[in-house]
Amino acid sequence: MDNHSKPLGSGADPRHIPEGNRQSNVERFSGYENTYDQYRPEAPEQVINILTGYLQQKPSLVVDLGCGTGLSSFVWKDEAERIIGIEPNDDMRGKAEEKLQEQDNTEHISFAAGYSNQIGLEASSVDIITCSQSFHWMEPASTLKEAARILRPEGIFAVYDCDWPPNLHWPIEQSYHELIEFSEIIIDRHIEEGRKAHKWNKNEHLKHIRESGLFRFAKEIVFHHMEPCTAERYVGLAISQGGVQTLLRLGIQELNPAIDAFRKQVEEYFHGETREVMFSYRMRLGIK
């Protein structure tokens, strides 16, 4: 496969994803690929260490489902023989492909259009499947069934999410949560139910993996990663959240005063300095 997107699936099975919400899940990420890529964290090295440790070898093929702009795909560049990032949103995948062209020695990396429950790869052909900040946008039962189909025996399905916001200072973290909650309240006022994106509960990821009956072993792993962070980036993380971006894209300005107040609070705390900030992660994995 070359470095250009090739559809691996014709679309999600409408029996598994609410018809009115399916396209909204994809469109939620349209138009802010640059903001997302600038402020969101790359997958930390612990992901590589944990998964290759369980696999006990260098993976021949890693599939990154819901790969977005490739933040969770490129980390495998020197750690896997082949990497395929699958992303249904054209803008997000386009950013990943743009970055791909800017790097050397990426012949073994490709990005493709597709859905998590219709990947289209051969059965028992994949060593590791990852979902970074993305499994909650996928219908779990059909996704897990497809993942189990393409994983080789003892292959790994791994879902990992960052806890928002990163650890900093409780009043700022509280303001972060309030900003995101307010964005969703405004969305409820302006977007009818059938056009809203549909999210599954992250706290049920491990339950879905275990109850699928498709994996011989499942567990949750908690870890953290320290990263340098400025006030601009911390505010950018909040602005990169899908609900905030939805309002900005629609030109709805009701959230703007809250964004301005949050920015002022964060800037006063950082005082123009760069600080080491803890990003906390939760990984749920299943071994076939």
Side-chain angles (χ1 to χ4, degrees):
M1 181 176 291
D2 61 23
N3 288 340
H4 301 287
S5 65
K6 294 182 178 179
L8 295 185
S10 59
D13 186 339
R15 294 172 299 175
H16 294 299
I17 295 180
E19 186 65 31
N21 305 103
R22 183 179 55 180
Q23 193 59 29
S24 296
N25 280 17
V26 177
E27 292 175 352
R28 184 177 173 97
F29 297 92
S30 295
Y32 77 100
E33 65 278 4
N34 292 323
T35 298
Y36 188 100
D37 194 68
Q38 180 178 0
Y39 296 117
R40 293 293 185 98
E42 292 184 348
E45 61 185 8
Q46 288 95 329
V47 171
I48 307 293
N49 296 337
I50 292 168
L51 298 183
T52 55
Y54 274 108
L55 194 67
Q56 290 290 292
Q57 65 183 56
K58 183 175 182 177
S60 297
L61 175 57
V62 172
V63 171
D64 188 23
L65 289 181
C67 67
T69 64
L71 291 170
S72 50
S73 307
F74 286 109
V75 294
W76 290 97
K77 179 179 177 181
D78 299 322
E79 307 294 340
E81 295 177 10
R82 187 180 173 207
I83 304 104
I84 300 175
I86 296 178
E87 171 57 49
N89 184 277
D90 293 340
D91 292 345
M92 300 290 274
R93 191 179 64 258
K95 181 66 177 182
E97 292 174 337
E98 176 186 315
K99 291 159 62 178
L100 187 63
Q101 301 305 319
E102 296 171 351
Q103 298 190 28
D104 296 325
N105 303 316
T106 58
E107 295 81 8
H108 61 308
I109 305 174
S110 60
F111 295 96
Y115 290 92
S116 62
N117 56 3
Q118 288 187 342
I119 300 170
L121 294 172
E122 293 182 6
S124 303
S125 63
V126 180
D127 293 297
I128 295 173
I129 298 173
T130 58
C131 297
S132 173
Q133 322 279 359
S134 60
F135 189 53
H136 56 292
W137 297 112
M138 305 172 188
E139 198 287 319
S142 57
T143 296
L144 290 168
K145 183 178 180 180
E146 177 71 342
R149 184 189 70 81
I150 67 172
L151 279 173
R152 69 165 176 81
E154 298 190 24
I156 304 168
F157 177 80
V159 177
Y160 58 97
D161 297 286
C162 185
D163 286 344
W164 302 120
N167 302 327
L168 187 67
H169 184 47
W170 74 263
I172 293 177
E173 293 178 44
Q174 184 177 54
S175 296
Y176 186 112
H177 284 298
E178 290 172 351
L179 179 68
I180 303 307
E181 289 170 0
F182 188 32
S183 72
E184 296 298 335
I185 290 172
I186 298 173
I187 285 174
D188 286 342
R189 294 175 185 162
H190 292 273
I191 301 179
E192 62 188 44
E193 195 63 36
R195 294 177 54 221
K196 291 178 187 174
H198 181 83
K199 246 194 274 198
W200 280 266
N201 190 342
K202 291 182 181 181
N203 293 328
E204 295 185 352
H205 287 348
L206 184 60
K207 175 176 177 283
H208 289 308
I209 293 171
R210 283 179 169 159
E211 292 184 354
S212 72
L214 298 168
F215 302 92
R216 68 180 72 189
F217 178 79
K219 71 174 295 185
E220 177 174 293
I221 300 170
V222 180
F223 58 94
H224 72 270
H225 182 69
M226 303 298 295
E227 292 190 21
C229 190
T230 61
E232 178 189 359
R233 188 188 181 199
Y234 202 90
V235 174
L237 286 168
I239 293 175
S240 77
Q241 298 296 322
V244 178
Q245 284 295 313
T246 296
L247 297 176
L248 295 177
R249 186 171 65 247
L250 294 174
I252 299 171
Q253 301 181 12
E254 192 173 346
L255 189 67
N256 290 3
I259 294 175
D260 292 340
F262 179 69
R263 178 178 286 109
K264 180 179 179 181
Q265 182 184 16
V266 173
E267 288 176 347
E268 288 177 351
Y269 181 81
F270 274 84
H271 290 296
E273 299 176 354
T274 299
R275 297 174 179 266
E276 287 291 309
V277 173
M278 178 185 291
F279 287 72
S280 301
Y281 288 84
R282 300 173 191 274
M283 175 184 285
R284 289 89 169 187
L285 61 80
I287 297 179
K288 181 179 174 182

